[in-house]
Amino acid sequence: MYHQPVLKNRRTLLERAEKFISDVYFTDCNLRGRLYGDSCPLETISAFLSPKRITFTEASTQNFAPYKVGENFGQTWWTCWFKVTLTVPEHWRGKEVHLLWECDGEAMVWRDGQPVQGLTKEGEKTSYILSDCLKDEEPHSVTLYVEMACNGLFGAGQGSMIAAPDSNRKFSVQRAELVIFKRDVRELLTDFEMLIDIVKELGEGEQRGYQALFTVNEMVNLCDPADPSSFSNAHSLAQRFFSQRNGDSQHTVHAMGHCHIDSAWLWPYEETIRKCGRSWVTVINLMEKNPEFVFTCSQAQQFQWVKSWYPGLYSKIQFYVKKGQFIPVGGTWVEMDGNLPSGESMVRQFLEGQRFFHQEFGRCCTEFWLPDTFGYSAQLPQIMQGCGISNFLTQKLSWNLVNAFPHNTFFWEGLDGSKVLTHFPPGNSYEMKGKIEDLVKTVKNNKDKGRANHSAALFGFGDGGGGPTQLMLDRLRLVQDTDGLPKVQMSSPDQLFSKLLADSALLCTWSGELFLELHNGTYTTQAQIKRENRRCETLLHDVEIASSLALCQKKTFQYPQEKLQQLWRLLLLNQFHDVIPGSCIGMVVEDALRYYEDICSDGALLLREAWEALGSKGSSVGVFNSLPWERHEVIQITDGADKSGLALVRVPSIGMSPVKDTQPVTPVSVTVQSDGTVLMENGTLHTVINKDGTLASLCLISPNRETVSDGCVGNQFVIFDDVPLYWDAWDVMDYHLQTRKPVVEVLQPVHVVTSGGLRGSVSFTLRISDKSTVTQEIVMDAMCPYIRFNTKVQWAESHKFLKVEFPVRVRSLNATYEIQFGHLQRPTHWNTSWDWARFEVWGHKWADLSEHNFGVALLNDCKYGYSIHKNTMTLSLLRAPKAPDATADMGTHQFTYAIMPHTGSFQDASVIQCAYNLNFPLRLMQCSADPVPWSAFSVSTKSVILETIKQAEDGNRALVVRLYESYGSSVSATLRTTLPVRKAWHCDLLERQDRTQPADMTSDGITLNFKPFQIVTLLLIL
């Protein structure tokens, strides 16, 4: 009968096969219904509910009460521990026995005090294997504990995945029993599934698809679900199909197990620790049974968590790392945001990550692994290369809303010309399932056909963890070399990139940033997190410099290496790609703000201790300058009677001086004019401020150049409707620009606060809506080339976006934005889709719009979102999304921005230095009477910025200093120091000394040569 002609009705044959393995239809007589044999109830189930996440040791001593399957418990984020006693029936000898556990939370099975299996319905893991083949000598009576988190794989969103959590959700166990698992049925189901998917994916136009169709149809004919003896014939048919081989030219897919776990997102940090435990213990189980299985795993922080919470599991991980199956990747502390962290923060991500991996596993990573962040800075290639990394893998640009990125495998060239080999898996996913669809998509989507014949396929449940399953491995094993499909090999990142590099002659190069055309609301969402991030980056910078100087000045001073590492790791953790962007639930925001508080309080203490070691004891007031140039600024001081006043001080570079008030060349004058406007001047700038706080005029006095466009005003607050298509905290859409409304209602008109001399300032208040207000102090200081806007907003909006605009008299096709260790240009026009897709972009401390010999810079102390279109410079201030945090950004906000018109280029006008000054305020300290001003370091060339001074990681009598060229020019510079430096060596960003490159050190200092935007790191031996 099997040789009768088959009617070529593709639909009926395909549906027949689908129904034969369906878990919905005909399960009484199809193959799926035979997956489990006999079942047996558990002897007892008892439960204990805890509002906190506790250890197994603590949980196992609690009082457990009887639990009945189906009963509800909760609430969200609590933990229910179950104690399970079971006895396997004697007559199940020789059978594969599973504990079947289906619940609507995430669970971990504990046996003999150790975690043994993660369980989650969403991650297709609902059973714990008690025995592969029950033997008499195996224990038949077992006591297990099941730790169940009252949250799903993706948290507990109310109504949708990204909605704010439902705090009152109830949970239950729906099924808990012993079952006989029929492995031969599972294997045959996999054969059927893969053949059915080949039919679907290859389509009607492929001969191979019809071969699969007729094969699977004959298998249905041969297979009697009630007669296991018929299975082998059906299986043989499948194997005959799968064993038909490919030619040598077929594309090769490098399959790697993967489990992307967001360090925090729709769940708090603490739950991530358990997600790692649940996911990785399952991975280890798979490795024990599948010696070819390779698993890639990033984020040193998560390894550290598992080491602390699950030491037994961690020992097994170390074993499989040595075997080459469990592969640490990425080289960073966490998978950080690729836009917002400072350059030094990015270096520390690699420094902490690479050192951790080397200390724990004896290896550093050679690939940067960042599959799920919201854009990639143009300085990352140089930072990667400086940290021993030459390869990069991500896939997020496949999410572009407007333009399809043109490559999957290419060389990425950074700001300074550094290149890294880059691969975007063409399947556009980091959580494939080993299905035919994944393999076909990987080949079809490859945009570099003819240039690259190898691609990665990362398989395993991700984002919320889960990881690979045995079924995924079985699928991939079936089609390692099957005609009509790409070749599949279990592989590693090293193997993949070696193959790509060996055949890279035809690869293209992409220069500059990798800009994600989506999620650009993350430059602004959760403004408090962004403010605290900038503040903590500044504080740790200053603490390290002060501590380094103290180390040189006082032999008994102990550099706080361990404490600084703790604080840096907290800061780096908060730079995870769903925390600093603000795309996380409120619980994560609370955790993050608490960590920032810890950094600030502990950092302030470390700063005081360093100052004390520098001799800052006494009744006089001194000033500490952590920047590498002399500063002449107005500061606020407090005398012994707690009376505050102002002083114009001069402080040397990276040093300190007493407060000695100097007189400005031109004092600030403040004049209230007859029409209610206020005129302020300081010899450099002249501004007229309207009653509503807008700037009617801002004039650069020396060239008599007006800044504000004709018929316009500067400092115009504007508000927009801000309703994205789906990703609320993430996205701001282009159409929001059509809803612009100026904020015009004045609650308190402009009035003078400080009347001139060293400082002039005015204040005003506007009503944004009936729920929100903005109060601002506009400040002009003597000798200062910019005007500051100290801003306080009471914000209680819903889906609104607040910005401030400065229309300026500048025409330029490009604007310049500061990024990590440099700057780049972006168009101010919308000529092409690539241009208008950048209607909202990111930058750091400044952005500048210049034409020949004149320009305007916009500075800020904690903002990252910009829009410069034509001649209007816009700074993004606040958003009000409602998911995944229903109260995101509600409350009081304080921030400062500044406007700085200038002649010449922004480089020659010291825009970069002014932005640093705004972000790194001079710090008051106690000092002895009449101390001598003192400078530790200076740099001969303005374009070279001394960014970092710290103790070397591996030596307490050595300093590491990091400099970069900031203008985009090739220059020579001399680094001068008054510290007792004996030798100087070049080193990489991981502080590994280059013995072939001693620094050129003379009595005048250390001579250094820079290429544009080059980062140089030195090891100074004291």
Side-chain angles (χ1 to χ4, degrees):
M1 108 184 181
Y2 303 114
H3 300 287
Q4 293 296 318
V6 178
L7 294 174
K8 205 170 183 178
N9 188 331
R10 184 174 180 272
R11 176 183 170 183
T12 59
L13 297 189
L14 180 57
E15 276 203 39
R16 180 195 189 200
E18 288 178 321
K19 295 296 192 295
F20 192 69
I21 62 170
S22 171
D23 58 1
V24 177
Y25 301 103
F26 309 114
T27 54
D28 61 321
C29 60
N30 73 3
L31 186 62
R32 178 76 63 176
R34 305 289 172 152
L35 184 59
Y36 297 107
D38 293 344
S39 64
C40 172
L42 305 179
E43 281 195 0
T44 64
I45 308 178
S46 52
F48 157 72
L49 195 61
S50 169
K52 295 182 179 178
R53 299 170 182 89
I54 58 176
T55 64
F56 170 80
T57 303
E58 185 179 350
S60 61
T61 62
Q62 302 300 316
N63 294 320
F64 286 75
Y67 175 78
K68 186 177 180 182
V69 171
E71 288 179 346
N72 289 334
F73 52 85
Q75 53 196 27
T76 309
W77 308 123
W78 285 37
T79 300
C80 193
W81 284 84
F82 297 91
K83 185 176 182 180
V84 175
T85 61
L86 56 90
T87 300
V88 182
E90 292 289 335
H91 64 276
W92 284 11
R93 187 182 301 109
K95 305 295 185 183
E96 182 171 339
V97 181
H98 289 198
L99 166 65
L100 199 60
W101 186 278
E102 293 185 7
C103 62
D104 43 18
E106 294 186 89
M108 172 82 94
V109 180
W110 292 78
R111 185 171 183 174
D112 300 326
Q114 293 298 319
V116 291
Q117 177 66 51
L119 300 173
T120 167
K121 229 178 349 184
E122 296 161 291
E124 296 181 2
K125 298 177 187 71
T126 56
S127 64
Y128 166 56
I129 302 174
L130 287 161
S131 176
D132 291 316
C133 181
L134 187 66
K135 299 180 179 66
D136 287 338
E137 60 269 23
E138 289 185 77
H140 284 44
S141 294
V142 177
T143 298
L144 302 173
Y145 288 85
V146 180
E147 174 192 17
M148 194 196 116
C150 292
N151 55 263
L153 203 58
F154 292 93
Q158 188 165 12
S160 77
M161 181 183 77
I162 65 166
D166 179 358
S167 59
N168 296 311
R169 182 182 293 186
K170 296 298 181 183
F171 296 80
S172 68
V173 177
Q174 294 91 41
R175 192 174 180 186
E177 59 185 346
L178 296 181
V179 295
I180 293 174
F181 182 79
K182 297 183 179 179
R183 183 64 58 182
D184 57 346
V185 174
R186 175 68 272 172
E187 290 173 356
L188 195 54
L189 284 169
T190 306
D191 290 342
F192 272 102
E193 174 204 308
M194 296 296 274
L195 283 164
I196 289 167
D197 285 353
I198 288 172
V199 176
K200 290 178 176 177
E201 293 302 322
L202 295 188
E204 297 187 48
E206 292 287 336
Q207 163 78 5
R208 191 66 171 149
Y210 276 99
Q211 291 174 355
L213 179 66
F214 295 153
T215 299
V216 79
N217 186 61
E218 285 208 27
M219 287 171 63
V220 178
N221 291 335
L222 283 171
C223 181
D224 178 1
D227 180 11
S229 67
S230 68
F231 294 174
S232 60
N233 288 336
H235 182 63
S236 295
L237 264 183
Q239 289 308 303
R240 193 183 311 158
F241 178 92
F242 291 126
S243 63
Q244 292 174 327
R245 302 303 179 207
N246 271 300
D248 292 340
S249 67
Q250 183 59 273
H251 192 87
T252 300
V253 173
H254 293 248
M256 305 174 214
H258 190 240
C259 179
H260 180 66
I261 303 178
D262 287 321
S263 290
W265 180 31
L266 304 175
W267 51 86
Y269 285 125
E270 271 196 3
E271 193 54 47
T272 306
I273 299 172
R274 300 200 295 188
K275 284 177 176 287
C276 293
R278 290 187 287 261
S279 302
W280 295 1
V281 75
T282 305
V283 165
I284 296 298
N285 291 342
L286 291 173
M287 286 180 177
E288 290 169 350
K289 296 180 179 182
N290 303 269
E292 81 286 1
F293 173 43
V294 172
F295 179 73
T296 55
C297 191
S298 65
Q299 307 194 75
Q301 170 69 85
Q302 295 184 3
F303 283 87
Q304 178 67 57
W305 281 334
V306 170
K307 181 181 180 181
S308 299
W309 281 68
Y310 305 101
L313 170 59
Y314 191 74
S315 296
K316 291 184 178 182
I317 289 171
Q318 288 178 309
F319 172 76
Y320 282 102
V321 169
K322 283 183 182 175
K323 284 191 70 177
Q325 287 182 258
F326 200 113
I327 302 178
V329 294
T332 50
W333 190 245
V334 296
E335 288 188 11
M336 73 281 195
D337 180 80
N339 301 325
L340 308 184
S342 69
E344 188 60 29
S345 289
M346 284 190 167
V347 170
R348 298 306 175 91
Q349 287 284 356
F350 287 100
L351 182 66
E352 290 297 329
Q354 291 283 54
R355 285 179 65 84
F356 180 89
F357 288 137
H358 189 265
Q359 289 163 3
E360 295 294 317
F361 307 116
R363 67 186 298 273
C364 285
C365 303
T366 57
E367 69 293 301
F368 182 33
W369 197 271
L370 195 58
D372 185 32
T373 198
F374 312 145
Y376 305 87
S377 166
Q379 269 293 25
L380 274 169
Q382 182 180 189
I383 294 172
M384 284 185 235
Q385 289 281 13
C387 296
I389 287 174
S390 53
N391 305 313
F392 175 44
L393 182 144
T394 185
Q395 64 81 49
K396 197 64 177 186
L397 261 66
S398 66
W399 284 46
N400 270 9
L401 194 63
V402 181
N403 299 286
F405 192 79
H407 301 294
N408 287 102
T409 304
F410 59 99
F411 286 103
W412 180 22
E413 183 178 68
L415 202 59
D416 73 315
S418 297
K419 286 186 180 181
V420 290
L421 179 58
T422 301
H423 181 66
F424 297 175
N428 297 338
S429 174
Y430 49 76
E431 50 171 339
M432 292 180 165
K433 306 298 185 290
K435 292 191 170 188
I436 300 299
E437 174 192 6
D438 300 332
L439 304 177
V440 170
K441 191 186 292 184
T442 294
V443 176
K444 283 187 175 177
N445 288 0
N446 179 21
K447 298 186 179 75
D448 295 282
K449 294 181 181 76
R451 287 190 287 259
N453 207 27
H454 295 261
S455 297
L458 310 180
F459 65 94
F461 288 95
D463 288 333
T469 65
Q470 183 63 54
L471 176 56
M472 295 176 193
L473 289 166
D474 293 343
R475 288 168 179 157
L476 292 168
R477 192 179 288 123
L478 265 185
V479 292
Q480 292 177 72
D481 191 0
T482 295
D483 185 25
L485 299 174
K487 294 180 180 178
V488 179
Q489 67 179 60
M490 197 61 65
S491 188
S492 68
D494 279 351
Q495 289 174 291
L496 168 70
F497 281 108
S498 294
K499 290 288 187 183
L500 292 173
L501 185 61
D503 194 22
S504 61
L506 297 178
L507 293 182
C508 299
T509 297
W510 180 274
S511 295
E513 67 181 328
L514 295 173
F515 185 87
L516 178 66
E517 297 172 357
L518 195 70
H519 292 359
N520 36 15
T522 60
Y523 317 149
T524 306
T525 304
Q526 298 287 7
Q528 193 69 11
I529 283 181
K530 292 169 172 61
R531 179 174 184 262
E532 294 303 317
N533 173 75
R534 184 85 64 87
R535 191 169 145 218
C536 289
E537 286 178 334
T538 301
L539 176 60
L540 293 182
H541 168 276
D542 287 6
V543 170
E544 287 184 332
I545 290 179
S547 299
S548 298
L549 304 190
L551 182 70
C552 298
Q553 294 290 91
K554 190 173 183 179
K555 289 185 177 180
T556 59
F557 178 77
Q558 292 292 312
Y559 188 93
Q561 185 107 343
E562 189 175 326
K563 189 63 182 178
L564 274 168
Q565 184 185 63
Q566 291 174 9
L567 300 184
W568 265 111
R569 285 182 171 183
L570 279 182
L571 180 60
L572 299 178
L573 174 59
N574 276 352
Q575 289 175 349
F576 178 74
H577 65 252
D578 277 308
V579 180
I580 190 173
S583 49
C584 52
I585 61 172
M587 290 176 75
V588 178
V589 177
E590 291 169 10
D591 286 344
L593 294 179
R594 190 171 67 252
Y595 291 163
Y596 289 131
E597 285 178 19
D598 292 344
I599 295 168
C600 287
S601 59
D602 291 351
L605 181 61
L606 295 180
L607 197 57
R608 285 197 299 272
E609 290 172 352
W611 284 343
E612 286 177 9
L614 287 169
S616 66
K617 291 181 179 177
S619 57
S620 296
V621 179
V623 186
F624 175 68
N625 173 21
S626 66
L627 296 179
W629 47 78
E630 182 183 81
R631 295 167 69 174
H632 195 195
E633 296 177 21
V634 175
I635 61 169
Q636 189 151 346
I637 57 172
T638 303
D639 62 19
D642 288 333
K643 291 181 180 178
S644 62
L646 299 173
L648 179 61
V649 297
R650 191 182 296 274
V651 193
S653 62
I654 304 187
M656 56 194 70
S657 73
V659 172
K660 289 189 176 177
D661 196 5
T662 60
Q663 293 304 307
V665 175
T666 306
V668 179
S669 66
V670 180
T671 306
V672 180
Q673 303 187 110
S674 58
D675 60 357
T677 61
V678 178
L679 168 66
M680 292 201 293
E681 289 189 23
N682 68 355
T684 303
L685 300 174
H686 162 116
T687 187
V688 177
I689 304 167
N690 291 322
K691 288 187 283 187
D692 62 359
T694 57
L695 303 187
S697 170
L698 176 59
C699 187
L700 198 56
I701 292 175
S702 178
N704 192 28
R705 182 71 184 259
E706 175 59 52
T707 299
V708 179
S709 290
D710 286 338
C712 300
V713 292
N715 197 40
Q716 176 67 67
F717 289 101
V718 286
I719 195 162
F720 301 82
D721 295 339
D722 185 16
V723 184
L725 298 176
Y726 176 70
W727 296 100
D728 201 355
W730 293 258
D731 287 349
V732 55
M733 310 311 296
D734 52 359
Y735 52 74
H736 88 283
L737 295 169
Q738 297 177 305
T739 65
R740 176 185 179 276
K741 294 174 187 167
V743 177
V744 295
E745 186 178 349
V746 179
L747 284 182
Q748 186 175 28
V750 158
H751 57 280
V752 175
V753 176
T754 310
S755 56
L758 293 180
R759 174 172 293 168
S761 68
V762 298
S763 180
F764 64 95
T765 300
L766 302 178
R767 187 191 298 281
I768 299 169
S769 71
D770 58 353
K771 303 173 185 174
S772 305
T773 60
V774 56
T775 299
Q776 192 170 70
E777 184 182 17
I778 303 177
V779 180
M780 178 182 282
D781 279 350
M783 310 291 290
C784 186
Y786 54 81
I787 296 176
R788 292 201 314 279
F789 300 84
N790 298 334
T791 312
K792 182 176 182 179
V793 180
Q794 298 287 352
W795 185 246
E797 298 300 311
S798 178
H799 291 113
K800 298 293 182 183
F801 198 162
L802 181 67
K803 306 183 186 185
V804 65
E805 295 177 346
F806 289 89
V808 297
R809 294 192 188 183
V810 176
R811 177 167 173 77
S812 176
L813 294 179
N814 293 288
T816 307
Y817 302 84
E818 188 196 35
I819 67 166
Q820 298 84 357
F821 298 124
H823 58 264
L824 51 71
Q825 291 190 325
R826 299 185 182 110
T828 58
H829 56 77
W830 293 344
N831 282 358
T832 71
S833 59
W834 293 89
D835 299 329
W836 64 256
R838 303 183 186 206
F839 59 87
E840 179 83 6
V841 299
W842 65 273
H844 281 205
K845 298 185 291 292
W846 60 269
D848 184 85
L849 185 64
S850 288
E851 58 190 41
H852 176 66
N853 210 34
F854 181 76
V856 182
L858 188 53
L859 323 178
N860 76 83
D861 72 346
C862 62
K863 299 299 174 186
Y864 296 91
Y866 294 88
S867 171
I868 302 179
H869 181 52
K870 294 185 177 178
N871 68 324
T872 299
M873 307 179 73
T874 305
L875 184 66
S876 297
L877 303 177
L878 293 170
R879 295 186 70 224
K882 299 303 172 188
D885 178 7
T887 60
D889 282 313
M890 297 299 98
T892 304
H893 297 268
Q894 291 183 289
F895 49 85
T896 296
Y897 55 87
I899 191 79
M900 178 180 170
H902 59 83
T903 56
S905 68
F906 68 84
Q907 293 99 327
D908 293 339
S910 299
V911 164
I912 298 170
Q913 287 78 6
C914 286
Y916 268 91
N917 292 348
L918 182 68
N919 280 268
F920 291 80
L922 294 170
R923 296 184 186 270
L924 294 176
M925 56 185 285
Q926 296 300 115
C927 65
S928 56
D930 298 321
V932 178
W934 176 66
S935 170
F937 286 93
S938 62
V939 185
S940 64
T941 306
K942 263 181 68 177
S943 69
V944 174
I945 292 178
L946 176 52
E947 178 74 15
T948 301
I949 306 168
K950 64 183 285 291
Q951 179 177 273
E953 294 292 315
D954 293 324
N956 61 4
R957 297 305 298 169
L959 296 181
V960 166
V961 297
R962 190 160 10 262
L963 310 94
Y964 74 97
E965 197 288 315
S966 67
Y967 286 6
S969 58
S970 295
V971 296
S972 294
T974 301
L975 174 66
R976 302 186 180 94
T977 182
T978 58
L979 302 182
V981 176
R982 292 188 295 111
K983 294 179 183 177
W985 296 86
H986 285 269
C987 62
D988 66 7
L989 297 179
L990 300 183
E991 304 181 11
R992 297 178 297 196
Q993 185 176 341
D994 186 347
R995 290 284 180 180
T996 67
Q997 278 202 76
D1000 183 8
M1001 191 171 170
T1002 67
S1003 58
D1004 191 43
I1006 301 168
T1007 303
L1008 301 167
N1009 296 314
F1010 289 83
K1011 295 175 182 176
F1013 304 116
Q1014 184 180 357
I1015 305 164
V1016 170
T1017 306
L1018 298 176
L1019 188 66
L1020 306 183
I1021 312 300
L1022 301 173

